[in-house]
Amino acid sequence: MKLILAPMATLTHEALRRSVFGFGGCDEYFTEMIQAGTLLTGGPFEKYYLHTGPEPDKIVWQLTGAKADALARAAELVAGVGGVGVDVNMGCCAPEIVKSGAGIAWMLKPYAETAAMLEGVRRAVENAKPAANRPAEENAKPAANRRAALRFSVKIRLGDEDFTDDRFFSFIDMLVGTGVRQITLHPRTRKERYRTPPRLEYVRKLCDYLNARGSDVKVVLNGAVCDAASARKAYEIAPAVDGIMIARAAIRKPWVFAEIKGTAPEKIDLLQTGLQFIDDLAECQPPEFYKTRLQRFFTYYSDNVQFAQYLRTQLLNAPTLDGCRERLAAYFDQCPHERYKKIAP
Ligand SMILES: Cc1cc2nc3c(=O)[nH]c(=O)nc-3n(C[C@H](O)[C@H](O)[C@H](O)COP(=O)(O)O)c2cc1C
């Protein structure tokens, strides 16, 4: 069973992937959602969304957008860069995204419209040409020997508040009909956001439903997995899943995948891990993004210490990367016993 880093806007960029990789990595890394329209118009920061390090062959591009045509063209572009797959975000509930017609809005539109968008993206992924920045050896191979086309997938929720099993599974029928190869289910409704526990039994129902129809579409479970015990429990609920996807816990603990695999070190140096993240951020992101990316990361990462709120406030108000480094070091100078976090075997 695969362990997968979830897509998280402003969080799952190369610096965070390097942190995860530093503890042994995971099986696939979803990028943060990439705005299809903006990617195509080629803004000054778009190149940063196309970083693939540190494990380019494990990248899954996640796209968001309200326009079918832009999504298809962006899919062709990212698929040309390489990686494992291209995913369409159909679960984001942020009001501005939904209002624009993207994210979960695709679960609420007439099926014909959503199916047409998905078919366009699938064709684009299948037809993508290798880009100039693919390794020359790959491009030189005869077409038949080149890497297979990237996988085409979607990430969804259960739907809107009035969702019913019938409606959910007829939506799944539509997805399968478009040639989707993998479905990640975050089993909450639009309004539930993160308030109620995810209904993981729906992941099992989805596996059973597809299995009963002889479908080979893969299912990935996402929601509230944060350590080995919760991963085990999730897997017991839905043993036919192909993978477990982790979002917030991977920011709090970039070692969470190692923890689940039983390969984490006995103790984690919280200072060194935090400093390394800041160094990687400086290398992988433009200065204009430092502040928001630092804030997002340390909002979660600070949970590792006793005075989390104090550390968070200190770091969120640090004016520069150096200021952030100094404040992080100062915290562990004051609380040296907190620097090393023990990982339960
Ligand atoms: C800060 C933040 C940003 C997110 N951005 C995205 C995104 O870009 N695309 C997406 O499909 N889901 C996004 N999500 C949802 C997560 O991928 C995931 O579905 C959700 O957090 C539940 O998983 P978890 O319980 O492991 O955190 C985001 C979640 C958070 C907290």
Side-chain angles (χ1 to χ4, degrees):
M1 197 211 28
K2 287 188 222 155
L3 292 174
I4 302 165
L5 177 65
M8 276 179 285
T10 69
L11 282 162
T12 48
H13 41 67
E14 179 164 344
L16 193 271
R17 290 195 295 271
R18 286 187 188 188
S19 292
V20 170
F21 182 62
F23 292 101
C26 61
D27 296 303
E28 291 181 8
Y29 303 84
F30 275 56
T31 64
E32 56 186 307
M33 60 181 172
I34 302 173
Q35 299 280 349
T38 322
L39 182 72
L40 294 168
T41 50
F45 303 120
E46 293 315 300
K47 62 173 185 275
Y48 295 96
Y49 292 94
L50 297 178
H51 283 190
T52 57
E55 296 198 88
D57 288 343
K58 295 185 179 178
I59 287 286
V60 181
W61 304 99
Q62 197 196 52
L63 297 175
T64 181
K67 297 212 167 82
D69 175 56
L71 281 162
R73 284 190 294 135
E76 189 164 0
L77 194 160
V78 292
V81 179
V84 197
V86 177
D87 185 85
V88 176
N89 178 330
M90 300 176 75
C92 181
C93 300
E96 65 282 10
I97 296 279
V98 186
K99 216 163 132 200
S100 77
I104 201 169
W106 284 110
M107 291 192 75
L108 313 174
K109 296 180 193 189
Y111 286 0
E113 191 180 340
T114 301
M117 178 277 285
L118 291 172
E119 279 160 13
V121 174
R122 176 183 51 75
R123 277 194 300 274
V125 172
E126 285 170 2
N127 296 337
K129 306 254 180 334
N133 53 352
R134 267 209 198 163
E137 317 83 79
E138 193 66 27
N139 289 342
K141 289 179 193 164
N145 298 350
R146 269 188 221 138
R147 255 181 293 195
L150 271 60
R151 183 187 64 215
F152 166 48
S153 64
V154 293
K155 181 164 177 281
I156 61 171
R157 286 187 175 231
L158 290 172
D160 219 336
E161 293 340 279
D162 58 354
F163 100 99
T164 59
D165 283 20
D166 280 354
R167 204 169 307 156
F168 177 70
F169 287 110
S170 71
F171 183 78
I172 296 296
D173 288 340
M174 180 276 289
L175 287 182
V176 172
T178 66
V180 157
R181 307 300 317 138
Q182 177 176 290
I183 300 170
T184 300
L185 177 59
H186 174 204
R188 289 182 167 108
T189 62
R190 171 181 170 186
K191 290 224 175 93
E192 281 169 356
R193 306 199 81 175
Y194 301 108
R195 280 189 291 272
T196 49
R199 305 185 213 187
L200 296 183
E201 70 277 12
Y202 269 93
V203 182
R204 179 178 42 75
K205 283 192 194 184
L206 175 57
C207 294
D208 292 348
Y209 185 83
L210 292 168
N211 189 33
R213 278 152 191 78
S215 166
D216 60 359
V217 172
K218 305 266 191 284
V219 175
V220 170
L221 174 152
N222 167 237
V225 173
C226 58
D227 53 21
S230 52
R232 228 177 357 256
K233 197 167 155 215
Y235 190 60
E236 275 165 24
I237 294 172
V241 288
D242 195 54
I244 290 184
M245 175 184 274
I246 300 178
R248 291 163 297 171
I251 313 298
R252 285 195 186 95
K253 308 188 292 181
W255 55 89
V256 69
F257 300 103
E259 196 181 328
I260 293 171
K261 286 187 275 185
T263 56
E266 266 172 39
K267 51 185 187 174
I268 307 288
D269 183 341
L270 292 175
L271 171 60
Q272 191 46 43
T273 304
L275 291 175
Q276 186 62 53
F277 174 79
I278 300 172
D279 289 351
D280 288 333
L281 192 71
E283 270 185 40
C284 302
Q285 293 275 278
E288 291 84 346
F289 285 7
Y290 290 167
K291 195 171 168 60
T292 48
R293 273 57 177 169
L294 274 178
Q295 287 182 342
R296 274 294 177 94
F297 176 80
F298 283 108
T299 296
Y300 291 93
Y301 188 74
S302 301
D303 285 342
N304 286 300
V305 299
Q306 191 183 356
F307 301 105
Q309 189 49 34
Y310 170 77
L311 178 62
R312 201 173 286 129
T313 313
Q314 286 290 302
L315 298 176
L316 301 198
N317 292 322
T320 59
L321 291 185
D322 274 341
C324 200
R325 287 184 184 97
E326 281 160 20
R327 289 176 184 203
L328 190 62
Y331 181 88
F332 290 106
D333 278 347
Q334 286 162 19
C335 306
H337 56 286
E338 286 207 56
R339 179 167 165 181
Y340 295 97
K341 188 180 169 105
K342 280 215 175 80
I343 304 294

